Amino acid sequence: MPESRPTSLATAAAPADSATSAASATSAGGADAGAPEILLELVDGQGVTIGTAEKLWAHQQPGHLHRAFSVFLFDKQGRLLLQRRALGKYHSPGVWSNTCCGHPYPDEPPFVAAARRVAEELGAAPALLCAAGTVRYDLPDEASGLIEREWNHLFVGLMTDELRPDPDEVDSTSFVTAEELKQLQTEKPFSVWFNTVFEAALPGIREIAGHDW
């Protein structure tokens, strides 16, 4: 299901001109008129929260460093659950990516946010979910013109429930082996962040799914 927590206009909690910029960027057409705005946490270079911003505004050039999470779930055979993002999403529609990714709400622990979004997007709960470190990156997405400037909390785990994906979020899913993932990446487009978060999560992935990865 889509993110539906009630929110208010984005404001950055540092200088006043940052808050003004956030508001003007949003009202100038960054978010759909009348649509509920979703806030995320802005962070400094050490991952410490410094304010909040509207989600789309934070991804518009030049971008603003913010908190995010990425989840990698495996089945009992050690296969990775991938999702193809729904075609209607404004950011990276129709590309393959990791099991789930997103942004904690302000003051929401990343672990809680990760479990919440897995349930919202895939209609199932992880049987196991473990923290696997963090990674910071700045990755422009040429297709959308947006940028990923994120302090990303990584999680790995197991999925044993039957999937019931929300079609507004997920076009399709697939469990793949390491070799099947390599083949799929030669055939289909993946999100700009996938390789970065995958490589950063590999130590945790191997603890969960074995050294075939």
Side-chain angles (χ1 to χ4, degrees):
M1 72 184 74
E3 295 178 89
S4 57
R5 174 169 165 172
T7 56
S8 58
L9 179 63
T11 56
D17 58 349
S18 295
T20 302
S21 297
S24 60
T26 303
S27 62
D32 294 337
E37 291 161 346
I38 297 173
L39 299 185
L40 47 68
E41 288 186 345
L42 299 178
V43 301
D44 65 14
Q46 285 69 51
V48 177
T49 301
I50 59 173
T52 63
E54 196 275 326
K55 184 171 74 170
L56 179 55
W57 178 82
H59 290 86
Q60 292 172 330
Q61 295 284 359
H64 300 271
L65 187 62
H66 58 273
R67 196 176 309 284
F69 62 83
S70 289
V71 180
F72 296 84
L73 298 180
F74 294 80
D75 66 8
K76 292 179 179 179
Q77 288 74 48
R79 298 179 301 170
L80 172 61
L81 174 57
L82 299 177
Q83 66 156 276
R84 183 176 182 235
R85 293 166 63 84
L87 295 173
K89 295 179 78 72
Y90 73 84
H91 190 358
S92 300
V95 301
W96 287 90
S97 197
N98 48 295
T99 308
C100 180
C101 53
H103 308 88
Y105 295 128
D107 299 322
E108 182 182 29
F111 182 94
V112 173
R116 171 179 60 80
R117 280 307 279 167
V118 169
E120 289 175 349
E121 292 189 4
L122 296 169
L128 176 70
L129 191 65
C130 305
T134 59
V135 60
R136 176 184 170 172
Y137 49 80
D138 300 304
L139 298 170
D141 181 2
E142 294 181 3
S144 67
L146 301 176
I147 186 168
E148 296 286 352
R149 294 193 64 200
E150 296 188 327
W151 183 278
N152 196 310
H153 298 254
L154 306 171
F155 298 93
V156 299
L158 298 174
M159 174 61 78
T160 58
D161 280 357
E162 179 183 353
L163 302 180
R164 300 174 181 84
D166 179 349
D168 290 334
E169 300 286 346
V170 179
D171 176 81
S172 55
T173 61
S174 181
F175 283 97
V176 298
T177 66
E179 288 303 314
E180 289 169 341
L181 172 61
K182 292 176 184 177
Q183 182 63 33
L184 188 62
Q185 287 185 291
T186 68
E187 299 171 352
K188 303 293 183 181
F190 272 68
S191 63
V192 295
W193 62 84
F194 178 81
N195 284 333
T196 298
V197 295
F198 177 77
E199 291 294 332
L202 263 179
I205 286 172
R206 286 170 176 156
E207 288 187 17
I208 292 290
H211 287 273
D212 287 345
W213 290 93

